Amino acid sequence: MTRALALITAAFWLAAFDPFQAAGIDPRLGARIPLDGTFREADGRAVSLGGLADGKPLVLVPVLHRCPNICGVTLAGLAQAILAQRLRPGRDFTLVAFGIDPREGPDDATADLADLRRAFPALPADGIHALTGARDQIRAVTDALGYRYAWDDRIGQYAHVAAVAILRPDGTLNHWLYGLSPAPDALERALDEAARGRAGDWGQRILLLCFHYDPMTGRNGPLIWTLLRTLGALVALGGGGWIAWSLWRDRRLVKS
């Protein structure tokens, strides 16, 4: 009875709030992003995106600094791609982990940045920033990007997608890199195009949703583990199918 009630409740919640409809990216390649809004650095200083760019392309990653799901994985995948190509933060571009939750503050940004630097000590010390800001300033940037996300009051969590925006120095949206780990050559090419003012392309739009709720336990769970469990199940099914096919083939050979 309890399980049935939980499933009915979950179905009602999904009907009332569909994260796959609430979160996404609208095609706005070539849109101009405002660079003059005021945000807070991890150390509390007031900064603007234009000041951080300083005439270089911007790599803007919309994240939750206190994300229970895949934001950290997204930043880690980007860090790996950065280290595997020739362009470097600070010298060639500016990397910004852009907090989309106005409830977060510099302490949250500091912790997020510290985790990234601890995991990737080879990243340059300069040119990497974690920002927080007020709701209207955040929305001005995300709306211009066409980056849609939504808050679900019932579970206290944002639904949003994993993606990286590449901006020209003047704030023009030049490229989106989708998923958890961009290819290093795709990142380098996108940065080169942004630096030269050349129009980018959209590439393959495979959107990964950063949102998870388990109606059976009533808890939020890391989406990455859900993805890994699903992948494990697929691998197991594939292996089982291969074994069954091999046994069937061997029997046919014996009979013949």
Side-chain angles (χ1 to χ4, degrees):
M1 181 67 180
T2 302
R3 183 180 179 86
L5 181 60
L7 291 173
I8 292 171
T9 302
F12 172 77
W13 281 24
L14 287 174
F17 181 84
D18 183 356
F20 293 95
Q21 290 294 326
I25 296 175
D26 298 324
R28 293 185 182 171
L29 199 64
R32 185 68 65 87
I33 310 312
L35 298 180
D36 56 354
T38 300
F39 299 94
R40 293 286 174 183
E41 270 271 32
D43 61 5
R45 290 184 300 116
V47 296
S48 68
L49 290 175
L52 295 179
D54 193 26
K56 297 182 289 291
L58 271 170
V59 176
L60 190 71
V61 192
V63 296
L64 303 175
H65 294 302
R66 293 196 306 260
C67 183
N69 297 310
I70 60 175
C71 291
V73 181
T74 303
L75 287 173
L78 178 59
Q80 290 174 332
I82 288 172
L83 293 174
Q85 50 85 58
R86 64 181 176 83
L87 303 177
R88 288 292 176 262
R91 184 188 70 195
D92 304 301
F93 65 92
T94 300
L95 170 62
V96 175
F98 187 76
I100 61 174
D101 187 348
R103 302 172 307 162
E104 294 179 336
D107 288 346
D108 302 303
T110 297
D112 200 11
L113 201 55
D115 287 343
L116 184 65
R117 294 195 183 282
R118 188 160 44 246
F120 298 93
L123 283 175
D126 297 327
I128 299 177
H129 308 269
L131 302 186
T132 57
R135 183 184 304 274
D136 58 343
Q137 299 286 1
I138 295 171
R139 283 289 183 183
V141 172
T142 56
D143 287 351
L145 287 171
Y147 185 85
R148 292 184 286 105
Y149 58 101
W151 175 260
D152 187 350
D153 279 324
R154 293 157 301 185
I155 62 174
Q157 188 177 346
Y158 276 101
H160 65 109
V161 297
V164 176
I166 308 295
L167 310 181
R168 299 179 195 173
D170 65 357
T172 300
L173 174 59
N174 215 59
H175 205 102
W176 278 105
L177 300 174
Y178 300 102
L180 299 178
S181 184
D185 60 340
L187 174 63
E188 184 175 325
R189 184 170 61 252
L191 286 168
D192 273 334
E193 290 173 348
R196 296 174 185 176
R198 295 173 54 189
D201 58 63
W202 286 93
Q204 190 175 13
R205 294 188 65 189
I206 301 176
L207 300 184
L208 294 179
L209 184 68
C210 186
F211 177 91
H212 182 63
Y213 175 75
D214 185 347
M216 303 307 299
T217 64
R219 295 194 302 269
N220 297 325
L223 181 57
I224 189 61
W225 294 118
T226 302
L227 294 173
L228 290 174
R229 283 196 295 270
T230 301
L231 180 60
L234 291 174
V235 171
L237 286 172
W242 181 83
I243 292 172
W245 177 81
S246 297
L247 292 173
W248 175 80
R249 182 193 60 182
D250 292 344
R251 289 196 187 102
R252 283 180 62 86
L253 290 175
V254 170
K255 289 180 181 179
S256 61

